[in-house]
Amino acid sequence: MTNSAPVNAQRANPADGVHDRLKRARVASRALATANGDVKNRALEALAVQVVDATARILAANATDLENGERAGLAAGLLDRLRLDESRVSALASAVREIAALTDPVGQTLRGSRLPNGVKIDQVRVPFGVVGAIYEARPNVTIDIAALALKSGNAVVLRGGTAAENTNRELVRVIRDALTSAGLPEDAVQTVDDFGREGATQLMQARGLVDVLVPRGSASLIQAVVTESRVPVIETGAGVVHIYLDESARLDWATEIVHNAKVQRPSVCNAVETVLVHRDAAERLLPSVLDRLAASGVTIHADEAVAALFPGTVPAVDEDWATEHMSLDISVRVVDDLDEALDHIRRYSTGHTESILTEDVAAAERFLAEVDSAVVMVNASTRFTDGGEFGFGAEVGISTQKLHARGPMGVTELTSTKWTVRGTGQVRA
Amino acid sequence: MTNSAPVNAQRANPADGVHDRLKRARVASRALATANGDVKNRALEALAVQVVDATARILAANATDLENGERAGLAAGLLDRLRLDESRVSALASAVREIAALTDPVGQTLRGSRLPNGVKIDQVRVPFGVVGAIYEARPNVTIDIAALALKSGNAVVLRGGTAAENTNRELVRVIRDALTSAGLPEDAVQTVDDFGREGATQLMQARGLVDVLVPRGSASLIQAVVTESRVPVIETGAGVVHIYLDESARLDWATEIVHNAKVQRPSVCNAVETVLVHRDAAERLLPSVLDRLAASGVTIHADEAVAALFPGTVPAVDEDWATEHMSLDISVRVVDDLDEALDHIRRYSTGHTESILTEDVAAAERFLAEVDSAVVMVNASTRFTDGGEFGFGAEVGISTQKLHARGPMGVTELTSTKWTVRGTGQVRA
């Protein structure tokens, strides 16, 4: 069982619990919050160097996780996400350097004014303090979230999937060494992986010790965290994404955008899952749109009206409309008009991304105004909902909630604000 | 029992439950979200007129609540908050007109850019959708929250204190009539008062139907909502507020600021509760500072060092440091230096407001950087933490959490954002 010894045990009391680690993270967060950008970047650069230096150690730990995973019968897709190799480790280093290159959000002034009595007020960006992350067995998330938290001046407590426990332990060790080498407290990055599910549970109960929790992974993981957590959560992810082909949609745009939105990377949250098409345009658009999809191996789950226009579909069942396929499957339905499309979207959308393809300005503006999603598009592929595409650099995730952050989140979204007030003896009249 | 008939029963199915009302609020929220500022202001102006027109009816209902409250033995302070009279009703109308005069936050563009491929992205303010409010028996909050929600394009579901049930029913009737007269759906304002505690419970469970919950009232009410709610909460309020008199604090400023922060309005959350004073300045500052407080009838809960310098104090006990007195009581302690003051604040602050009085720039900057509160001040009265003083107009409350909003909240803080994306056929490479 040497593999499951807690990483922190090397430097701290091995008998400590989740609570003690959270308290140490809280103390360390104070140094992070007031660290200059240069110091934080020095730690990130050290991390980029040291993660590559530690490749052999990391890959050995990863091999253990992969063996355990194969023995436990993990699906091939999960094993692939878990697997590291030399080029993937070097990609981790590049990701860290990209994060280091971002603008430091801490200390930015958002608003400010001088009150009539001479008091000066300013709203400035500050770190949250301690960020918690609960995610599945993807070692790259360990590095990503830690680097994003560090860049934004936060301490972070990580709970990764058990299947990546050995890999994560080595990665956290490298991160903590990098913090030390830059003169920052290693306790700013903690893992609670060695506590198993209990680690996640305690993280979700740690109101007051953890300022915000970011779940990353499957819809069911996110749902579990949202339901159980007493700590404020930023909900990321699940996307039952729609494209509506309006009566006036251009055939070439419809064909290429739907194909791109489904086929370019079907396993991600901004891939389209359902296409709705205006009844009066179905015959004009669907043969070309569906032909292009079918040629790429997409299975078309069609309602009756669609099936009548295009051969080789499978019948759509009710649950298709609520399904995030994340695969080469797409649900296609004919609607009477924009109203029916909006109704359908209101009912089934997860509030991630929806796009209308149209040449009618009034329809476009109505769609933009009435669809209540994080990102609403006209004549563009839903795959553009992405922090990188939006120019934010590295992405924390895509928020589908309305509080604090909505849509692609960068380091800025890992900050809060405080008001500073500077007076010269003023009292309230 | 005619007094406890549900207000909505006059127009809707009297057998409906909380869930049905929330669903009706959700449907109505769509009309609110896309309503122009002119229309919303017309509804607010109608409300200002009609609330005064309905004075007799409102005061009759209020008299019933006051009778019930007296019979139930409500404290004098609570009865006073519950009591309306002609001038208080007219103040409600003025408050509504002030809210109408605010800038409409909906539709403001926060950020925007054109991506290299020509796609235009914009982050725009949108209403949350449905806001829930849980508060104690203060009729003015009913009008205030409804008007703030309406101005920011939100539907609102209200759960006021049972002690104000009759008054609130009349007020909600007036609000709904005002919405109708402006052509907006009356269902945009709902009350669940007639369901008693069950109304509050269901409101807190209504994830997906209610977008954000704003509790207003005592620390225990807020704590209960924060703990129980499955809906995202904006935590407002409780303030164990500190003023630290540094070694170099000016005597005149210290005397006037501490007095103002405690005495001007002791019952509010931005009133000071604890004064910390640097050991080397205690003898110079305390006699004048405490004399001025004592002359206004303030009871001084003093540690031993303070008691040795000033007669007539009562001994501070441990729980004083964690107490929001909200009365003419103040806790006073001598600390060795700024570090000890920061330690004390870290331990006992509720993250609302803290102020340092000093002439030392380094001490001031350290205090501003290291105190982790919504508002951190130098040489000013803590009473300035207020939406009105900050120039926001009417105030939703003062957020002491770090997510979404921190510090005084105006109508802007009752909005979320969405990204609009306008393309001309672009797909992701």
Side-chain angles (χ1 to χ4, degrees):
Chain A
M1 289 300 283
T2 47
N3 275 335
S4 56
V7 57
N8 292 323
Q10 306 187 326
R11 303 174 178 98
N13 178 4
D16 69 357
V18 175
H19 192 77
D20 297 285
R21 292 209 194 145
L22 297 180
K23 284 204 292 197
R24 287 211 301 279
R26 169 66 61 197
V27 172
S29 76
R30 284 154 31 198
L32 262 286
T34 52
N36 287 334
D38 282 350
V39 176
K40 294 186 287 187
N41 285 345
R42 224 156 34 228
L44 289 169
E45 179 54 31
L47 172 55
V49 169
Q50 291 172 26
V51 77
V52 171
D53 288 350
T55 300
R57 227 168 71 208
I58 294 166
L59 293 187
N62 190 242
T64 307
D65 284 332
L66 287 167
E67 273 168 44
N68 293 343
E70 276 162 24
R71 210 175 307 127
L74 275 197
L78 296 179
L79 286 173
D80 180 57
R81 287 160 158 210
L82 175 55
R83 178 170 290 115
L84 291 179
D85 55 28
E86 276 192 33
S87 90
R88 285 185 177 180
V89 171
S90 127
L92 295 179
S94 309
V96 170
R97 288 201 172 92
E98 273 172 37
I99 290 167
L102 298 175
T103 303
D104 189 341
V106 175
Q108 291 174 351
T109 303
L110 300 183
R111 291 187 273 182
S113 62
R114 192 171 290 280
L115 305 184
N117 60 10
V119 168
K120 176 80 177 74
I121 68 172
D122 290 288
Q123 187 183 35
V124 295
R125 280 205 189 285
V126 296
F128 274 122
V130 179
V131 173
I134 297 183
Y135 53 100
E136 284 158 347
R138 298 181 69 166
N140 63 313
V141 176
T142 303
I143 293 289
D144 238 39
I145 290 272
L148 288 162
L150 177 52
K151 181 75 193 187
S152 51
N154 291 289
V156 64
V157 183
L158 303 162
R159 162 62 186 150
T162 306
E165 194 181 342
N166 294 289
T167 314
N168 285 343
R169 179 177 330 115
E170 288 305 325
L171 293 174
V172 169
R173 188 173 297 169
V174 173
I175 298 165
R176 289 167 63 100
D177 286 345
L179 286 165
T180 306
S181 73
L184 290 169
E186 59 176 11
D187 279 340
V189 177
Q190 304 272 351
T191 172
V192 294
D193 277 358
D194 47 309
F195 293 96
R197 291 193 72 81
E198 181 61 19
T201 303
Q202 289 202 34
L203 208 50
M204 291 188 281
Q205 297 297 326
R207 207 179 160 88
L209 281 173
V210 175
D211 294 295
V212 63
L213 207 50
V214 183
R216 265 177 78 159
S218 68
S220 64
L221 173 120
I222 292 165
Q223 198 47 45
V225 172
V226 162
T227 309
E228 260 189 69
S229 182
R230 294 283 182 239
V231 172
V233 172
I234 298 183
E235 193 175 342
T236 59
V240 176
V241 167
H242 297 77
I243 294 178
Y244 167 57
L245 308 178
D246 192 31
E247 191 176 358
S248 64
R250 268 178 64 159
L251 179 63
D252 53 346
W253 291 0
T255 306
E256 291 312 310
I257 286 175
V258 170
H259 184 265
N260 181 259
K262 179 77 258 180
V263 174
Q264 197 225 8
R265 204 171 163 204
S267 65
V268 291
C269 59
N270 58 20
V272 68
E273 303 297 356
T274 296
V275 170
L276 304 170
V277 57
H278 191 292
R279 189 168 300 280
D280 297 340
E283 208 172 326
R284 177 175 64 86
L285 299 171
L286 284 184
S288 162
V289 169
L290 301 184
D291 212 38
R292 180 103 164 85
L293 288 174
S296 294
V298 176
T299 302
I300 294 153
H301 301 249
D303 77 348
E304 286 180 21
V306 173
L309 286 168
F310 193 79
T313 62
V314 303
V317 295
D318 274 359
E319 71 177 64
D320 278 324
W321 312 114
T323 299
E324 189 180 17
H325 298 293
M326 308 202 97
S327 58
L328 286 176
D329 289 81
I330 198 164
S331 312
V332 186
R333 181 188 163 192
V334 168
V335 292
D336 285 341
D337 51 20
L338 175 56
D339 283 304
E340 197 177 15
L342 291 169
D343 277 345
H344 181 104
I345 289 168
R346 213 171 281 129
R347 177 152 177 207
Y348 293 108
S349 167
T350 53
H352 189 294
T353 301
E354 331 296 336
S355 185
I356 183 175
L357 310 192
T358 189
E359 296 214 286
D360 176 347
V361 168
E365 291 303 318
R366 225 190 118 193
F367 193 86
L368 288 172
E370 295 189 22
V371 172
D372 187 20
S373 297
V375 185
V376 191
M377 301 181 167
V378 178
N379 295 328
S381 169
T382 57
R383 292 274 296 116
F384 287 117
T385 297
D386 175 271
E389 294 290 320
F390 274 28
F392 297 172
E395 179 183 282
V396 177
I398 294 172
S399 165
T400 51
Q401 71 177 35
K402 295 183 184 176
L403 211 65
H404 186 71
R406 197 177 189 201
M409 298 189 290
V411 282
T412 300
E413 280 70 29
L414 285 183
T415 62
S416 180
T417 56
K418 76 161 73 151
W419 288 93
T420 62
V421 173
R422 295 158 198 265
T424 47
Q426 285 87 346
V427 297
R428 188 156 163 190
Chain B
M1 289 298 286
T2 48
N3 275 337
S4 57
V7 58
N8 292 322
Q10 307 187 327
R11 301 173 181 99
N13 178 4
D16 70 357
V18 175
H19 192 76
D20 297 286
R21 292 208 194 144
L22 297 180
K23 283 204 292 194
R24 287 211 301 278
R26 168 66 62 197
V27 171
S29 76
R30 283 154 32 197
L32 262 286
T34 52
N36 287 334
D38 283 348
V39 176
K40 294 186 287 188
N41 284 346
R42 227 163 24 234
L44 289 168
E45 179 55 30
L47 172 55
V49 170
Q50 292 173 26
V51 78
V52 171
D53 288 350
T55 300
R57 225 169 71 208
I58 293 166
L59 294 186
N62 190 242
T64 306
D65 283 333
L66 288 167
E67 274 168 43
N68 294 342
E70 275 161 25
R71 208 174 310 129
L74 274 197
L78 296 180
L79 286 173
D80 180 58
R81 287 160 159 211
L82 176 55
R83 179 170 291 113
L84 291 180
D85 54 26
E86 274 190 36
S87 91
R88 284 185 178 182
V89 170
S90 128
L92 295 179
S94 309
V96 170
R97 288 201 173 92
E98 273 173 36
I99 290 168
L102 298 176
T103 303
D104 189 341
V106 174
Q108 290 175 351
T109 303
L110 299 184
R111 291 187 274 181
S113 62
R114 192 172 289 280
L115 305 185
N117 60 11
V119 168
K120 177 81 176 72
I121 67 172
D122 290 288
Q123 187 183 34
V124 294
R125 281 205 189 284
V126 296
F128 274 123
V130 179
V131 173
I134 297 183
Y135 52 101
E136 284 157 347
R138 298 182 69 165
N140 63 314
V141 175
T142 302
I143 292 289
D144 238 38
I145 290 272
L148 288 162
L150 177 52
K151 180 75 192 188
S152 52
N154 291 290
V156 65
V157 182
L158 304 163
R159 162 62 186 150
T162 306
E165 195 181 341
N166 293 290
T167 314
N168 284 343
R169 181 177 330 115
E170 288 304 327
L171 293 173
V172 168
R173 189 173 297 169
V174 173
I175 298 165
R176 289 168 63 99
D177 285 344
L179 284 165
T180 305
S181 73
L184 289 170
E186 60 178 7
D187 280 340
V189 177
Q190 304 272 351
T191 172
V192 294
D193 276 359
D194 47 309
F195 293 95
R197 290 193 71 81
E198 181 61 19
T201 303
Q202 288 203 36
L203 208 49
M204 292 188 280
Q205 297 298 326
R207 205 177 164 89
L209 282 173
V210 175
D211 294 295
V212 63
L213 208 51
V214 183
R216 265 177 79 160
S218 69
S220 64
L221 173 118
I222 293 165
Q223 198 48 46
V225 172
V226 162
T227 309
E228 259 189 71
S229 182
R230 293 283 181 239
V231 172
V233 173
I234 299 183
E235 194 175 341
T236 60
V240 177
V241 167
H242 297 77
I243 294 179
Y244 167 56
L245 308 178
D246 193 31
E247 192 177 358
S248 64
R250 270 177 62 158
L251 178 62
D252 52 346
W253 292 0
T255 305
E256 291 313 309
I257 286 175
V258 170
H259 183 266
N260 180 260
K262 178 77 259 178
V263 174
Q264 197 225 8
R265 204 170 163 205
S267 65
V268 291
C269 59
N270 58 19
V272 68
E273 303 296 355
T274 297
V275 170
L276 304 170
V277 58
H278 191 292
R279 188 168 302 282
D280 297 339
E283 209 172 326
R284 176 174 65 85
L285 298 172
L286 284 183
S288 162
V289 169
L290 300 185
D291 213 37
R292 180 102 165 86
L293 289 174
S296 294
V298 176
T299 302
I300 294 153
H301 302 249
D303 77 347
E304 287 180 18
V306 173
L309 287 168
F310 193 80
T313 63
V314 303
V317 294
D318 275 358
E319 71 177 64
D320 278 323
W321 312 114
T323 298
E324 189 180 16
H325 298 293
M326 307 201 96
S327 58
L328 286 175
D329 289 82
I330 198 165
S331 312
V332 186
R333 181 189 163 190
V334 168
V335 292
D336 285 341
D337 50 20
L338 175 56
D339 282 305
E340 198 177 15
L342 291 169
D343 277 346
H344 181 104
I345 289 168
R346 214 171 280 129
R347 179 152 176 207
Y348 293 108
S349 166
T350 52
H352 189 295
T353 301
E354 331 296 336
S355 185
I356 183 175
L357 309 192
T358 188
E359 297 214 287
D360 176 346
V361 168
E365 291 303 319
R366 227 191 117 193
F367 193 85
L368 288 172
E370 295 189 22
V371 172
D372 187 20
S373 296
V375 185
V376 190
M377 301 182 167
V378 178
N379 294 329
S381 169
T382 57
R383 292 275 296 117
F384 286 118
T385 297
D386 175 272
E389 294 290 320
F390 273 28
F392 297 173
E395 179 182 282
V396 177
I398 294 172
S399 164
T400 51
Q401 70 178 35
K402 295 183 184 175
L403 212 64
H404 186 73
R406 198 176 188 202
M409 296 190 291
V411 281
T412 300
E413 280 70 28
L414 285 184
T415 62
S416 180
T417 56
K418 78 161 70 152
W419 287 93
T420 62
V421 173
R422 295 159 198 264
T424 47
Q426 285 87 346
V427 298
R428 187 156 164 193

